[in-house]
Amino acid sequence: MTHSAPSKLTILPTTAALTGRVMPPGSKSITNRALLVAALAKGTSRLSGALKSDDTRYMAQALRDMGVAIDEPDATSFIVTSDGKLRAPAKPLFLGNAGTATRFLTAAAALVDGTVVVDGDEHMRKRPILPLVQALTRLGVAITAPSGCPPVTIQGQGGFEGGLVEVDGGLSSQYVSALLMAGACARNPVDVVLTGQEIGARGYVDLTLATMRAFGAQVSEPESGGWRIAPTGYVATDYLIEPDASAATYLWVAEVLTGGAIDLGVPASAFTQPDAKAHALIAAFPNLPAEIDGSQMQDAVPTLAVLAAFNRTPVRFTGIANLRVKECDRIAALAQGLSRIRTGLGVEEGDDLLVASDPALAGQTLPAEIDTFADHRIAMSFALAGLKIGGVTILDPACVAKTYPDYWRALGSLGVRFEGEVP
């Protein structure tokens, strides 16, 4: 899960329509939820269609370090065997820059009898976790995160009582999901209530609830708002994970930019993940709306922003303040990358991003080195610009391994060519 020294990869523009069949990898979001819930379930669960990437390997290894048996019989399956308990690991849990694994395990560590340290790389150590720490403190968990970001130290007492807990989900829905999943293993019912109406990408909470219920959890949504989780624990089950909608957005854009036909093996309507909402917008190209609210499809915003560069009219992205605390400051990274292609193409305006669209960009040679800031979504999105513009070079192309290790090979299978070594 460590990459070699950063390299460069230049995408060669294509005049051909990209056609073929590319099956996106399994959903990262669902895979990491299912891994944790299966680890908290008594018995053996088989997770099929799973994603094998840096983020999910960090999660699987952390669970192994906490006493869970996880086998990998093939490239898309995990077999998880557990007695339903997590044990104190012998060393800190290192989770790279995997936000889901870090947030989810911080809450799950409250179920351990002993000390758990949840840590990550230099990027993860800049990503906020204080709202989750504060919520767990209110549940009686002994937990500290001096910087407000990882590392987090949890002094587990073998579980927590339950009760009402308020959480600020404005920065990330992952805080809410973390409490919900751990809540099913509390000693008494847990009521999770939002401190405000804002929640980052609420659709991901729906993914959490679906996964929990598949493993036997009972969650209701009282009229007063929030969620009530019964203290049922989890039961092992076999679970099929759908393809990753965020990964699908790159293929949908590659299709419309080149006038191609790419068969993903699953229709857009079959996805339950929030980023699938981007499909309707992508289908409207080159007539994207003047304003796109990205609040409920945050991981699709980089893809849409690069597509917007070729739109007939400018596009403003709103509701995306949370992108500043993702793997990198994605608003700044997008503005910088777009403006390296052409000065002023991407402009930060507060927490909005304005893309000064120009269809005439297609067919030009505009040499630009794109700093990915080790962010997989910046790398994958700007590669799409290289399908139509000559000279687009992606720095640190190996960072796509975080969620889509086969991305470059997938593009290559459709006929895309590169200069440089494909990682």
Side-chain angles (χ1 to χ4, degrees):
M1 287 174 285
T2 57
H3 308 133
S4 57
S7 57
K8 301 179 181 181
L9 193 65
T10 301
I11 292 83
L12 298 179
T14 178
T15 55
L18 296 185
T19 61
R21 182 182 173 96
V22 175
M23 187 74 172
S27 165
K28 182 258 299 200
S29 300
I30 300 176
T31 299
N32 267 353
R33 284 162 170 78
L35 278 169
L36 175 58
V37 171
L40 294 173
K42 293 180 181 178
T44 297
S45 302
R46 184 183 185 99
L47 312 181
S48 305
L51 172 66
K52 303 291 181 75
S53 74
D54 286 0
D55 276 20
T56 60
R57 290 190 183 99
Y58 281 126
M59 174 64 100
Q61 187 55 50
L63 293 170
R64 290 184 182 111
D65 291 345
M66 299 172 86
V68 180
I70 301 179
D71 297 319
E72 301 185 37
D74 56 52
T76 59
S77 299
F78 289 103
I79 296 178
V80 183
T81 303
S82 174
D83 62 1
K85 298 185 185 304
L86 301 179
R87 288 160 178 80
K91 58 181 189 262
L93 300 177
F94 180 77
L95 299 166
N97 194 14
T100 52
T102 300
R103 276 72 176 261
F104 297 168
L105 287 171
T106 294
L111 305 171
V112 171
D113 186 6
T115 301
V116 182
V117 177
V118 176
D119 202 359
D121 64 16
E122 60 181 317
H123 304 287
M124 195 68 231
R125 285 184 167 196
K126 297 175 184 174
R127 299 179 67 182
I129 201 166
L130 189 59
L132 178 58
V133 171
Q134 292 172 330
L136 288 166
T137 299
R138 286 190 281 271
L139 283 170
V141 178
I143 180 171
T144 56
S147 71
C149 301
V152 186
T153 301
I154 304 97
Q155 304 286 350
Q157 301 295 321
F160 55 95
E161 291 304 317
L164 174 68
V165 60
E166 293 184 329
V167 61
D168 180 355
L171 274 179
S172 177
S173 64
Q174 292 172 6
Y175 307 146
V176 179
S177 290
L179 292 167
L180 292 172
M181 287 187 284
C185 299
R187 298 185 184 103
N188 297 292
V190 176
D191 287 286
V192 177
V193 178
L194 298 176
T195 55
Q197 293 305 308
E198 292 297 316
I199 181 170
R202 193 181 187 108
Y204 285 104
V205 174
D206 295 333
L207 292 185
T208 302
L209 297 176
T211 306
M212 291 172 62
R213 287 168 174 147
F215 285 80
Q218 295 175 15
V219 187
S220 58
E221 299 186 36
E223 290 182 11
S224 56
W227 301 268
R228 168 164 286 187
I229 310 102
T232 57
Y234 295 104
V235 179
T237 192
D238 292 345
Y239 194 61
L240 177 62
I241 293 161
E242 70 183 54
D244 193 282
S246 306
T249 64
Y250 310 118
L251 300 169
W252 291 334
V253 166
E255 182 179 61
V256 300
L257 272 179
T258 66
I262 303 173
D263 179 6
L264 274 58
V266 58
S269 59
F271 289 95
T272 63
Q273 301 153 69
D275 281 357
K277 294 182 178 69
H279 183 266
L281 291 167
I282 294 166
F285 178 81
N287 298 304
L288 298 176
E291 181 174 314
I292 293 176
D293 179 353
S295 62
Q296 299 305 313
M297 49 180 175
Q298 295 171 14
D299 286 344
V301 169
T303 328
L304 291 167
V306 170
L307 178 64
F310 303 94
N311 198 52
R312 285 182 177 148
T313 51
V315 180
R316 177 182 295 277
F317 291 87
T318 63
I320 59 172
N322 290 13
L323 267 63
R324 293 205 184 277
V325 292
K326 295 288 188 176
E327 281 79 344
C328 73
D329 180 341
R330 286 182 177 160
I331 299 175
L334 286 166
Q336 182 195 95
L338 289 166
S339 294
R340 283 188 175 177
I341 292 172
R342 193 190 70 191
T343 302
L345 183 58
V347 181
E348 294 180 65
E349 295 189 350
D351 284 329
D352 291 357
L353 175 69
L354 178 65
V355 181
S357 312
D358 182 2
L361 291 170
Q364 296 189 48
T365 297
L366 302 167
E369 287 198 342
I370 306 299
D371 189 338
T372 60
F373 301 94
D375 189 324
H376 55 132
R377 302 217 182 277
I378 300 300
M380 291 188 279
S381 297
F382 275 99
L384 301 170
L387 298 177
K388 305 302 290 184
I389 298 172
V392 175
T393 299
I394 307 299
L395 303 182
D396 190 17
C399 69
V400 303
K402 187 173 193 295
T403 54
Y404 197 166
D406 288 332
Y407 182 66
W408 304 115
R409 283 180 287 278
L411 291 183
S413 74
L414 295 168
V416 179
R417 295 182 301 126
F418 310 95
E419 283 181 0
E421 187 176 345
V422 176

